[in-house]
Amino acid sequence: MEKDKEELWQAEDITGKLMVVQRYTGLEMVLLDNLGELRGTTPKFRAENLSLLRRKRQALQKNELKTFAGLTVLPLEQNKQPWGWLVADCPQESMSEPVWCLFLELSLQLTFLLWHEGELNAMVRRHREQFLYDILYHNFASSEEVINLGKNWNMRLDKPHHVVVVEFDRPLQGNRQEQLLAELDKEWTRVLSVRFVQPVLMLLRMQLVILFEDDRTPPRNQSELAEIMTDAMASIKEAFPTIPPFSVGIGRLHYSVSEICRSFQEARQALSLGRFRQPENGITCYDELGVLKLLSHIRMEELDDFAQEALGVLMEYDDANGTELLKTLEIYFQENESMPLAAERLFIHANTLRNRLKKIETVLGVELNQADVRVRFYVACQALRIVRHSM
C-alpha cells in the first residue's frame, strides 16, 4: 500500500498518476475538468461510457450522479470550488477497501494538479486580459508599444482586426452565466479558428469579446462577417442545445490598433441597439443601425413625446376600432417599404396592404409618397421601438 502511494506521488502528470493506480488496481479511469472536457484516461476505459459522460455533461455539473449507474463518479473540489470529476469504469461497491483508498488518494492528487494548473492559467489569463482591456480602452502610450507587447501573446496587432461582442439575452441566476460564458468562449474559439487566424477571446463584464485578424485582401465586409457569425451561432447552438439565447454585435473594421477601441464601442452599441429590432438571437452590424445611432443619444422623454406627436392619432384609431394600422406601418418600414415582404409578414394580400396604407394616410392626414413625410414617420416608429424596449 505504501509503495503504490509513493509511486503515485512520484508520478508528475495526470496520465502518469492514472497509470500508476491502474497498474495496482486494474481500474479503468477517466479524468474530466470542470467543463466536462477530457483531461486524461487509461487505455481501456470504455468508449460508450466516455460518450455517456460527454452527453450528460449537464448532469455532471449538477452532481446528478445517479445518471451514471455502473460507474464511480467522484467530484473533485477544493474550497467548495469544482475542478472536475474522476470516474472509474465500475461501481464503487465492487471496489475493495485498499482499491477504494488508493482511488481516493488519486482524487486528492488530481484535484491538486487541476487546482495548481488553474491558478497558473488564471494568473496568465489576468495578465493577458489586462493587456486586452488596455487595447479595448486605449490605455497605452503608443501603437508601436502595444504591437510589440502583443507579440508576447502571438497577436499580430499591426494587422486589421474585427471586434465582436456576445451577450446573453436574459439574466441568469447565480454563477451559471460565468460557466456558460466559459463554455461559449471555448466553442467560439473552436468554430472561429477554422475561418480566422488565431481568434482572441476574453470575458469582460459578462460579455464575451472576440477579436480576430482579417488576413484577406480586400478584407471581409460586415455582411460577410455577419454570415460567418450566423453559421458560428448555428454550430454553437447545435453543440449546446439548451444554451440560453444570446445576441451578437459587430463593430466596423478599423486598420490601426489605436482604433480597436472604437470598433469595440461600436460592437457594444450594435449589440444593445440591435435588440430593439430583434430582442433575442440577433446579429447586428454597426453599419446597419442607421437612425438608431442618433436616437439612442436622445432622452427617453423626448423620444416618447416625438412618437406620440407623430403616431398618437394612429394609436387612438387602433384602440377605438380594433385595427392594427400602427403595426402595419412599422412592418412596412421594417421591410424597407417592400409590399410583397411586408404583406407576407402580416399574412395578408398585397392589395389589402395597399388599402391599409391608404387608410393610414387618411387617419394621419398625410401622403406617404413624400420623402420628408416617410422619414418623419419612419423615425417616429424607430423612436417608439426604443421607448417600448426601455419600459
Side-chain angles (χ1 to χ4, degrees), residues 37-205:
E37 297 294 331
L38 179 66
R39 295 301 312 275
T41 182
T42 54
K44 296 182 180 179
F45 189 88
R46 285 177 287 178
E48 60 267 28
N49 284 333
L50 182 56
S51 176
L52 172 67
L53 290 164
R54 285 172 167 163
R55 289 198 318 272
K56 303 291 185 179
R57 179 164 43 187
Q58 288 192 350
L60 272 178
Q61 291 168 347
K62 294 177 181 178
N63 275 329
E64 296 173 352
L65 303 185
K66 292 182 180 179
T67 306
F68 307 101
L71 301 178
T72 300
V73 181
L74 199 59
L76 306 182
E77 296 184 350
Q78 183 160 305
N79 297 327
K80 297 184 178 180
Q81 182 175 356
W83 288 102
W85 297 268
L86 176 61
V87 184
D89 206 355
C90 66
Q92 179 182 338
E93 51 268 24
S94 70
M95 298 184 195
S96 66
E97 183 175 351
V99 169
W100 174 245
C101 288
L102 192 58
F103 187 70
L104 286 177
E105 180 64 29
L106 174 63
S107 73
L108 294 174
Q109 294 191 27
L110 291 179
T111 300
F112 174 79
L113 284 183
L114 291 175
W115 168 82
H116 186 255
E117 179 186 282
E119 289 294 297
L120 291 176
N121 289 340
M123 182 177 66
V124 172
R125 187 167 57 250
R126 282 194 297 271
H127 286 294
R128 180 174 176 272
E129 289 185 352
Q130 181 59 54
F131 175 66
L132 291 171
Y133 182 90
D134 289 341
I135 292 174
L136 295 175
Y137 287 96
H138 200 269
N139 295 332
F140 52 85
S142 68
S143 296
E144 291 75 15
E145 174 191 4
V146 79
I147 288 171
N148 288 330
L149 287 172
K151 293 175 183 177
N152 296 327
W153 307 103
N154 295 320
M155 299 179 199
R156 302 194 299 177
L157 294 173
D158 55 326
K159 306 292 183 182
H161 278 70
H162 297 276
V163 180
V164 172
V165 177
V166 182
E167 184 180 64
F168 286 112
D169 296 317
R170 305 172 192 167
L172 303 175
Q173 300 299 320
N175 62 355
R176 184 61 179 144
Q177 190 167 27
E178 290 187 13
Q179 178 78 16
L180 287 171
L181 280 169
E183 292 176 1
L184 268 182
D185 183 327
K186 197 161 192 173
E187 190 64 17
W188 275 110
T189 300
R190 185 190 68 78
V191 171
L192 293 177
S193 293
V194 178
R195 308 291 290 271
F196 297 98
V197 177
Q198 193 176 348
V200 179
L201 296 91
M202 71 176 292
L203 299 179
L204 182 63
R205 296 173 188 160

Side-chain angles (χ1 to χ4, degrees), residues 20 29 44 60 70 87-88 94 113 123 172 199 222 236 241-242 245 250 280 282 301 326 356 366:
V20 167
M29 296 161 290
K44 296 182 180 179
L60 272 178
V87 184
S94 70
L113 284 183
M123 182 177 66
L172 303 175
Q222 287 204 319
I236 287 166
T242 61
I250 303 173
E280 294 184 349
E301 294 82 0
L326 176 58
R356 286 193 189 181
V366 298

Side-chain angles (χ1 to χ4, degrees), residues 156-163 211-216 219 253-257 260:
R156 302 194 299 177
L157 294 173
D158 55 326
K159 306 292 183 182
H161 278 70
H162 297 276
V163 180
L211 286 79
F212 43 89
E213 174 190 330
D214 197 320
D215 58 345
R216 278 186 25 181
L253 179 66
H254 295 288
Y255 290 83
S256 166
V257 66
I260 286 179

Side-chain angles (χ1 to χ4, degrees), residues 350-361:
N351 288 335
T352 304
L353 176 57
R354 289 189 182 90
N355 292 333
R356 286 193 189 181
L357 291 174
K358 289 178 182 178
K359 186 63 178 179
I360 289 169
E361 289 180 323

Side-chain angles (χ1 to χ4, degrees), residues 193-248:
S193 293
V194 178
R195 308 291 290 271
F196 297 98
V197 177
Q198 193 176 348
V200 179
L201 296 91
M202 71 176 292
L203 299 179
L204 182 63
R205 296 173 188 160
M206 295 305 174
Q207 291 180 332
L208 181 63
V209 183
I210 309 172
L211 286 79
F212 43 89
E213 174 190 330
D214 197 320
D215 58 345
R216 278 186 25 181
T217 304
R220 297 169 176 85
N221 58 40
Q222 287 204 319
S223 296
E224 292 176 286
L225 198 56
E227 290 178 8
I228 291 172
M229 292 299 118
T230 299
D231 292 342
M233 282 180 73
S235 297
I236 287 166
K237 290 181 184 297
E238 183 178 353
F240 299 98
T242 61
I243 200 168
F246 58 89
S247 292
V248 176

